[in-house]
Amino acid sequence: MISAMPASTSPSSFPIDLRSDTVTRPTPAMRRAMAEAEVGDDVYGEDPTVNRLQARAAEIFEREAALFVPSGSMGNLLAIKTWARPGMEVICEQRSHIVNYELASMSAVAGCMPCTVAAADGILTWATIEPLIRPKGYYYAPTGLIELENTHNLHGGAVYPPAVVDEICDRAHTAGLRVHLDGARIFNAGVALGRGVAELTRMFDSVMFCLSKGLGAPVGSMLVGSRDFIDQARVGRKMLGGGMRQAGVLAAAGLVALEESPKTLHRDHENARFLAEGLAQIPGIVLDPRKVVTNIVIFEIRAEGRTAQEVCAELARRNVLCGAMGKQQVRMVTHYDVDCAGVERAISEMASLLGGPKS
Ligand code: TLP
């Protein structure tokens, strides 16, 4: 059986892969569940394991229904397609994943236009959103949807204060607008705040969360919401070519991820904080470790003549993998396939690359 190799027992030639929490390999329990999964044709609604996963996700989020989708990107796109019509705008944060990493699918496929605003730490408030809502007028593209991202990927896994979310949703609903959550890492937000995901997401009209990020499943994300919303999203999924057949082999791993992985996310957060504290000591790195509250560490490289890409390439030669974001920023993401020893190695390789701890 192939399983993830714990970094603590690995030789230093084994890569420490901090590029993303998407790189995890299925746990032995997931692989067992996949091998033993009962399956059927999910386009007929007859895959018992997919049905169990959907029922369980709906139960955990205290919603009427849920839908298993191949990716988080498809889940977000389905929400936009379901709530908004072509020619409408979607209000979202400037560095949100739907704007930066989803191939402009909201425009190319759903016919919508992003209406973005930059927010400190990526955290929108009603005060930043309200001026973007279009008044009635035949020449305006009407506002079709508001989208929030929690945790916020490009803002280093920042977490929305629940009161801010509640106010946005409450005011949006009063204004007759829907709010969708890109909750790819909402379980990380839950752990950071010590709150349940149902409580954190109760005001949203729809929620997408990923099984294949920190929760560690090999494939898949979930949309949750009302029965009516999910029925429409299911039709949209088929239209996008996302109707799956014996998907129970994937859903089985998703069920294990959903039940088991939230309990261990706190370790990823501890490792991320430890990583941030170590990196912050290195000259040429600008980073405030107090801002690292989940599993994403983003920092600036301010080393003479060195770009983020060059630093990442050099680290890769030393078997530490991470991602450059633009010219100066680097992202490292912790997950269950990297333990504390792996994090220590990442810090020491970076220190030796950039020249020892700050004096
Ligand atoms: N994020 C990936 C990359 O696409 C950047 C990563 O490595 O972090 N919402 C958020 C907040 C995400 O971070 C991601 C993936 C998605 C949506 C899309 O999920 P997938 O990759 O399943 O389409």
Side-chain angles (χ1 to χ4, degrees), residues 218-343:
V219 178
S221 295
M222 306 298 299
L223 261 179
V224 292
S226 67
R227 163 64 54 201
D228 191 45
F229 166 78
I230 292 298
D231 285 349
Q232 291 181 60
R234 188 179 170 81
V235 173
R237 183 185 70 173
K238 186 79 180 104
M239 198 180 279
L240 295 179
M244 296 179 282
R245 302 295 179 176
Q246 285 69 36
V249 287
L250 301 175
L255 271 164
V256 175
L258 203 48
E259 300 302 345
E260 301 304 325
S261 303
K263 299 173 207 159
T264 63
L265 288 179
H266 66 94
R267 277 190 235 145
D268 300 344
H269 296 187
E270 285 151 21
N271 285 338
R273 177 60 83 97
F274 179 67
L275 175 64
E277 280 164 359
L279 292 172
Q281 302 301 313
I282 299 171
I285 288 185
V286 179
L287 166 63
D288 180 356
R290 289 168 306 179
K291 289 205 164 176
V292 176
V293 292
T294 59
N295 68 328
I296 301 180
V297 182
I298 293 179
F299 51 93
E300 298 268 326
I301 298 289
R302 289 273 170 244
E304 191 88 2
R306 271 191 159 127
T307 65
Q309 235 157 13
E310 285 162 357
V311 167
C312 291
E314 183 51 39
L315 277 179
R317 279 191 279 280
R318 297 165 184 235
N319 265 325
V320 175
L321 308 181
C322 52
M325 292 167 45
K327 210 163 168 227
Q328 297 308 145
Q329 280 192 322
V330 173
R331 185 184 78 152
M332 293 184 172
V333 186
T334 55
H335 51 77
Y336 70 69
D337 275 347
V338 173
D339 66 6
C340 199
V343 169

Side-chain angles (χ1 to χ4, degrees), residues 40-47 50-51 234 237 244-246:
D41 190 330
D42 182 51
V43 171
Y44 291 95
E46 288 174 4
D47 188 300
V50 170
N51 291 340
R234 188 179 170 81
R237 183 185 70 173
M244 296 179 282
R245 302 295 179 176
Q246 285 69 36

